[in-house]
Amino acid sequence: MQEMTHRLTMDLRRLSFENHDSCLSCGHAFQEGDTSHLGYGENNEPLYVCDSCSSSLKETAIRHYYIPRPYETPDQETKLWRYMDFTKYVSLLSSKAIYFTRTDCFEDLFEGAKGIRKNKERWDSYYLEFFKNAIMNPPEGYVCELSEQEIEKDAQRLLKEMEVNGEDHKKRTFVNCWHENEHESEAMWRLYSSYLANAVAIRTSYKGLYESLGRNPSVNIGRVEYIDLNKNYAGPNDAFWRKRKSFEHEREIRALLTDLKCKEKGKLIPCDLDLLIEDVFVSPHAPEWFIHLINDINVKYSIKIKVSKSQLLEKPFF
Ligand SMILES: [Zn+2]
């Protein structure tokens, strides 16, 4: 087997990120536990392949144990909205950056949670068994020589570590949220602006958001899944992609990144606004002068998009 060189160019990282689920050579759909190979071919071209195709690699950068993503990736053209106050809109334009909030700063106390505390005992006993099994059944070539007591102690330690990591993750995970919808939403105008008359919404697409952030393989963009935490848990890797059913109306698509060093409550990630902003809408309650103001601001920041009035203002007939 080739030595891994750990040489990961941006092209290779993007290639494997954008084609996470299948071998680019034969199309094999990876199953959990398969090995995916990242490397370079004859002409130093980046390759992302399965075991059977790995002989085509001249250089192996790294091999991964394939794990499916804990979220669904939306289609390229999926429409995404972000509703905001006037000041946030100006801040977006002037900073040319998207603000990612540290997940322990969200109002939702369940952000990043794996379950409800009253059900924790069941979770703990499940993972305690899981860890004990893993310790007792090491990979081929190794033998477990620990006593029952030592196994118990080790499993308890791993469980504790998982708990501490869970809390820590919140301080290292940063999220930027979008609302998935083909149409404008009256409810979202009300929810995401503190002063309804001066609210703005921008519309983009999954592709627009991904490309505006520079096709960055460190930013995961996916659909939040809403689960009933009375009956379910979020798995150790799923916690930031699951929310309680009570939030289903948000239809959230989130962009998520991890930063181990950042101590701030949020991070500004540079963004190409021309790629991001497909449309700008003003609130259905905005006065006429507000529309002019937003148009003026767009001109000042070289945003070539003309502001649309809320489509909720169309006149009915009977
Ligand atoms: Zn293959």
Side-chain angles (χ1 to χ4, degrees):
M1 207 179 268
Q2 265 176 1
E3 284 267 338
M4 295 189 284
T5 62
H6 292 95
R7 183 172 73 92
L8 288 164
T9 59
M10 185 51 103
D11 279 350
L12 179 58
R13 289 181 60 213
R14 277 193 188 126
L15 188 79
S16 60
F17 181 74
E18 291 174 3
N19 301 283
H20 183 72
D21 295 326
S22 53
C23 168
L24 277 174
S25 183
C26 73
H28 167 72
F30 289 121
Q31 304 295 316
E32 188 158 357
D34 282 356
T35 306
S36 59
H37 302 249
L38 285 77
Y40 307 89
E42 199 73 51
N43 303 309
N44 200 31
E45 75 282 14
L47 290 172
Y48 179 63
V49 293
C50 71
D51 269 335
S52 319
C53 301
S54 62
S55 57
S56 58
L57 292 171
K58 271 273 163 232
E59 175 187 342
T60 299
I62 202 161
R63 278 183 286 272
H64 283 311
Y65 173 89
Y66 171 81
I67 301 172
R69 287 192 167 130
Y71 58 86
E72 251 180 58
T73 304
D75 292 334
Q76 297 285 317
E77 300 308 325
T78 299
K79 295 291 175 217
L80 308 179
W81 296 74
R82 192 164 164 99
Y83 294 82
M84 62 193 101
D85 289 324
F86 173 69
T87 45
K88 292 240 170 88
Y89 181 68
V90 176
S91 161
L92 170 74
L93 266 47
S94 73
S95 64
K96 295 187 173 48
I98 292 183
Y99 188 75
F100 283 65
T101 306
R102 202 173 72 196
T103 50
D104 63 334
C105 299
F106 278 116
E107 259 176 48
D108 177 12
L109 290 177
F110 276 73
E111 187 60 62
K114 298 189 184 80
I116 301 178
R117 189 159 282 274
K118 67 173 188 220
N119 299 335
K120 186 169 179 294
E121 223 169 276
R122 258 190 297 157
W123 163 277
D124 283 353
S125 61
Y126 172 85
Y127 274 97
L128 197 62
E129 271 318 297
F130 176 87
F131 289 135
K132 277 191 211 167
N133 263 320
I135 297 166
M136 284 189 287
N137 302 294
E140 245 180 71
Y142 296 89
V143 187
C144 173
E145 287 170 343
L146 300 174
S147 70
E148 214 170 289
Q149 244 181 347
E150 286 168 321
I151 292 171
E152 172 75 26
K153 207 174 141 198
D154 256 11
Q156 290 283 4
R157 176 181 57 79
L158 289 168
L159 187 68
K160 187 75 205 159
E161 263 174 33
M162 185 160 77
E163 188 177 329
V164 173
N165 279 337
E167 288 288 338
D168 269 6
H169 267 155
K170 288 201 290 184
K171 297 197 175 72
R172 292 186 249 136
T173 308
F174 298 78
V175 163
N176 173 260
C177 313
W178 294 78
H179 170 68
E180 175 180 0
N181 206 330
E182 274 301 306
H183 308 284
E184 188 183 336
S185 158
E186 158 78 7
M188 290 294 132
W189 280 118
R190 291 180 189 282
L191 262 175
Y192 288 97
S193 58
S194 51
Y195 186 49
L196 198 52
N198 290 4
V200 183
I202 61 173
R203 187 173 64 187
T204 185
S205 61
Y206 167 77
K207 183 169 179 248
L209 177 61
Y210 177 60
E211 293 189 346
S212 72
L213 291 167
R215 293 174 59 209
N216 183 347
S218 302
V219 179
N220 285 277
I221 304 174
R223 197 171 271 131
V224 168
E225 190 185 322
Y226 299 93
I227 59 174
D228 180 356
L229 279 187
N230 285 306
K231 296 182 187 146
N232 291 303
Y233 298 95
N237 300 318
D238 307 347
F240 291 101
W241 300 98
R242 301 290 180 270
K243 277 185 157 182
R244 286 171 295 169
K245 283 271 183 198
S246 334
F247 289 83
E248 215 154 14
H249 60 277
E250 289 180 350
R251 302 169 68 168
E252 184 179 331
I253 300 282
R254 53 177 42 185
L256 179 149
L257 61 89
T258 307
D259 187 323
L260 305 182
K261 292 192 199 113
C262 178
K263 295 274 177 271
E264 306 296 319
K265 291 185 168 172
K267 275 174 76 77
L268 278 170
I269 304 295
C271 160
D272 182 331
L273 296 178
D274 290 329
L275 292 176
L276 180 74
I277 304 177
E278 287 178 8
D279 277 301
V280 178
F281 292 90
V282 292
S283 147
H285 301 277
E288 200 62 30
W289 62 262
F290 185 67
I291 299 172
H292 296 307
L293 175 66
I294 297 292
N295 270 322
D296 284 350
I297 286 169
N298 282 358
V299 170
K300 176 169 161 22
Y301 288 103
S302 315
I303 301 292
K304 291 172 203 79
I305 287 160
K306 197 154 166 15
V307 177
S308 308
K309 284 187 192 177
S310 164
Q311 291 163 345
L312 297 168
L313 289 174
E314 298 291 337
K315 299 274 184 290
F317 77 89
F318 302 95

